[in-house]
Amino acid sequence: MKRKINTQMTILTIVSVVFTLVLATLAYYELFKREIMEDLRSYAYVIMRSGAVDNVEQMKEYVLAESDVRITLIAEDGSVKYDNEAETSAMDNHESRPEIIAARNVGEGVAIRHSKTIGQNLFYYAVEMENGNILRVGKERGSIWAIYVGVLPWIVSIGCLLIAVGSVLSHYLTQQLLEPIERMANDMDHLDGLNVYKEMVPFAIKIRKQHEDIIKNAKMRQDFTANVSHELKTPLAAISGYSELIENGMATATDTQHFATEIHKNSQRLLTLINDIIRLSELDVTEQSLTMQEVDLYEIAETCVSMLQMQCEKHNITMSLSGMNCFIYANREMMEELVYNLCDNAIRYNYQGGHVSVDVSVEQEQVILTVGDTGIGIPKEDQERIFERFYRVDKSRSKSTGGTGLGLAIVKHIVEQHGAKLMLSSELGLGTQIRVYFGDYIEKNG
Ligand code: ADP
């Protein structure tokens, strides 16, 4: 980048130097032409007013033969009466020369002619006198090219000097231009104290944020792997231990019965865990390719409530469903999972004789699913964290009721994928209420 800016700046310098020199020379030549014409004009008037041209014979004797100014006197018929540089008899009629025509028409005229033979420009000024004769004065001067060639060494030296200065400056400026960017790249974490371009700050913040996200993600993955291994290890160790005891013949008949029960229980737990882990990784992968359809959330809740009826009875818990049919655009399987996980928790973290209420309704164009219980509640400090993978408030209670610590992580995932919002309110010892707000409510008539 540095090199590119540097090269471009140098090119810019060269182009501007060359352009300036060319344009300056052109402008100077214009000025130079005007200056010559002014000189010639003054000359003509001095000669005219001095009366020197009134007497041609006398002129031939005295006037300006050595001067570099050419003086010509032209009669009314165009014939040359006098010329200080050439023999008049050898000169043709001048009536058709542009400067003479102009002088006849408007009193004065100018012309510049290039002479190839002498490689010079000839400048002429002509003025009509009172007696009808025309006085013409002329001068030879170099053409623009001749002038160019004359000053070429100067132009080249000035050009080179300017380009050299420009290159040094561009090198210095490039360095200055890039310095804040380099400074920022070296220390993205402390932008506030650094003198950096304010236009670049959002860019840097974005990169920093992405960087942090990558680190966070990597850390989460690492934690998750460690947690998974740990979670799987416990039931596996139990299974291995019990089966070893049986294998060694160290268990009595009643022990064997008990060990088999333990083995069965632990393998069930392993299966549940593995199912939840698989489910989570599926959810991670299928982020884009969800099959969404119109589903009735109330109907899903109804199915779920009746499915959990047995479990409720086992714990002496009552369950109620209220609300109305509400259609949303969602993935059916995920909605079933979401309602099931919330209701399942509401039963598992409840007291004997407690109550679970499920409600599906519309508020301000939003479909809201509410699952409330009269259970043990969640301490304030844990409320933020219960949606994390493997986070449990009371590990032994979770385990003894068949929990994996992944249910709410799955819920959170589903809610995010449906662009919905979660709200939790809970009072320790009194109960918990979780509400899910779905944005896209589909209106159904009849
Ligand atoms: P688990 O499989 O342990 O139930 P979840 O992810 O479903 O895992 O829930 C995480 C933790 O949040 C639970 O271990 C429990 O401590 C707490 N929790 C979830 N739902 C409730 C509830 N309705 N009442 C009280 N605590 C709850």
Side-chain angles (χ1 to χ4, degrees):
M1 179 167 160
K2 210 178 219 172
R3 202 169 177 169
K4 195 167 175 188
I5 297 180
N6 218 334
T7 318
Q8 286 183 348
M9 277 202 179
T10 309
I11 291 174
L12 191 72
T13 316
I14 295 174
V15 170
S16 17
V17 165
V18 170
F19 244 101
T20 313
L21 287 175
V22 169
L23 290 180
T25 316
L26 283 176
Y28 164 74
Y29 191 68
E30 262 321 297
L31 216 72
F32 169 78
K33 274 193 323 202
R34 224 180 289 164
E35 219 29 57
I36 289 181
M37 282 305 177
E38 270 310 309
D39 278 357
L40 288 177
R41 193 164 178 270
S42 314
Y43 246 122
Y45 274 86
V46 168
I47 296 171
M48 200 164 68
R49 298 246 164 84
S50 70
V53 281
D54 291 345
N55 188 336
V56 176
E57 292 313 313
Q58 203 177 16
M59 264 174 95
K60 282 180 182 163
E61 280 170 35
Y62 306 116
V63 176
L64 307 168
E66 297 297 315
S67 155
D68 70 335
V69 178
R70 183 175 180 190
I71 299 168
T72 318
L73 195 67
I74 296 129
E76 263 177 287
D77 62 358
S79 61
V80 178
K81 283 169 93 177
Y82 169 78
D83 191 285
N84 67 338
E85 282 181 10
E87 196 53 55
T88 46
S89 52
M91 292 171 80
D92 51 4
N93 193 294
H94 272 39
E95 198 59 28
S96 60
R97 305 275 160 108
E99 70 276 14
I100 308 297
I101 294 172
R104 284 261 180 262
N105 289 339
V106 293
E108 60 178 2
V110 297
I112 302 169
R113 282 194 281 280
H114 184 68
S115 156
K116 282 211 178 94
T117 25
I118 52 172
Q120 297 272 50
N121 272 352
L122 295 163
F123 294 79
Y124 290 112
Y125 174 81
V127 59
E128 192 180 34
M129 300 194 298
E130 271 171 15
N131 60 11
N133 285 344
I134 287 177
L135 171 66
R136 185 182 78 172
V137 285
K139 230 178 194 181
E140 279 172 13
R141 275 294 178 266
S143 67
I144 187 157
W145 296 116
I147 291 175
Y148 250 131
V149 172
V151 293
L152 200 63
W154 279 101
I155 290 182
V156 171
S157 329
I158 294 174
C160 288
L161 184 75
L162 286 178
I163 289 167
V165 171
S167 303
V168 173
L169 265 179
S170 85
H171 180 78
Y172 176 72
L173 286 177
T174 309
Q175 212 156 19
Q176 276 229 320
L177 199 72
L178 294 182
E179 208 195 327
I181 300 177
E182 279 170 354
R183 217 181 299 142
M184 193 174 80
N186 285 337
D187 192 3
M188 270 205 185
D189 294 334
H190 305 98
L191 292 179
D192 297 341
L194 293 179
N195 178 19
V196 296
Y197 296 123
K198 67 174 189 305
E199 292 85 350
M200 297 281 294
V201 171
F203 181 64
I205 289 175
K206 194 159 185 178
I207 293 179
R208 192 168 66 189
K209 174 108 197 6
Q210 276 175 355
H211 195 71
E212 282 166 4
D213 283 351
I214 290 169
I215 292 175
K216 216 167 94 187
N217 263 340
K219 171 100 177 61
M220 259 169 60
R221 253 171 245 266
Q222 217 172 25
D223 286 354
F224 184 64
T225 315
N227 279 331
V228 167
S229 318
H230 182 76
E231 295 285 336
L232 294 179
K233 212 170 139 183
T234 322
L236 262 181
I239 292 170
S240 169
Y242 288 126
S243 50
E244 196 183 3
L245 286 175
I246 299 173
E247 189 184 31
N248 294 344
M250 289 168 74
T252 63
T254 37
D255 280 345
T256 311
Q257 175 72 33
H258 168 66
F259 292 168
T261 313
E262 283 302 321
I263 291 172
H264 184 218
K265 207 174 82 190
N266 278 292
S267 34
Q268 280 302 325
R269 174 154 183 77
L270 266 184
L271 277 177
T272 326
L273 262 169
I274 289 167
N275 272 336
D276 275 359
I277 293 165
I278 290 174
R279 186 68 195 125
L280 260 178
S281 57
E282 270 174 7
L283 286 175
D284 277 340
V285 174
T286 56
E287 210 134 317
Q288 269 98 37
S289 53
L290 275 186
T291 37
M292 305 287 256
Q293 64 187 114
E294 220 176 273
V295 295
D296 180 359
L297 201 59
Y298 186 82
E299 184 209 306
I300 289 174
E302 220 170 11
T303 317
C304 179
V305 167
S306 70
M307 205 158 68
L308 285 165
Q309 212 54 51
M310 281 264 286
Q311 203 182 320
C312 281
E313 279 164 22
K314 221 161 78 184
H315 296 95
N316 195 20
I317 286 165
T318 52
M319 207 171 182
S320 67
L321 171 67
S322 58
M324 57 182 223
N325 295 79
C326 290
F327 292 85
I328 56 168
Y329 203 62
N331 179 281
R332 172 173 283 276
E333 199 190 324
M334 286 186 173
M335 284 305 111
E336 287 167 357
E337 223 173 335
L338 171 92
V339 180
Y340 180 88
N341 280 347
L342 291 179
C343 293
D344 184 45
N345 278 354
I347 298 167
R348 284 170 41 231
Y349 300 104
N350 219 321
Y351 295 118
Q352 281 278 333
H355 183 71
V356 174
S357 61
V358 183
D359 180 76
V360 180
S361 53
V362 180
E363 253 176 58
Q364 291 168 347
E365 302 285 301
Q366 279 191 314
V367 174
I368 302 169
L369 165 77
T370 311
V371 179
D373 63 61
T374 56
I376 60 170
I378 304 160
K380 281 267 170 304
E381 63 270 24
D382 296 309
Q383 287 182 7
E384 278 256 303
R385 303 200 55 190
I386 54 165
F387 294 95
E388 287 174 18
R389 296 172 181 195
F390 294 117
Y391 189 85
R392 294 115 151 175
V393 178
D394 177 351
K395 206 161 183 165
S396 61
R397 175 159 188 148
S398 162
K399 270 190 181 167
S400 67
T401 55
T404 57
L406 294 174
L408 286 184
I410 294 173
V411 164
K412 185 181 164 199
H413 221 303
I414 293 173
V415 164
E416 276 172 2
Q417 287 194 4
H418 283 79
K421 292 254 147 14
L422 261 174
M423 284 271 282
L424 167 92
S425 60
S426 183
E427 202 67 56
L428 207 57
L430 288 178
T432 304
Q433 193 189 56
I434 293 182
R435 306 192 96 192
V436 187
Y437 295 77
F438 295 92
D440 42 4
Y441 156 59
I442 302 168
E443 196 136 7
K444 286 260 167 180
N445 295 320

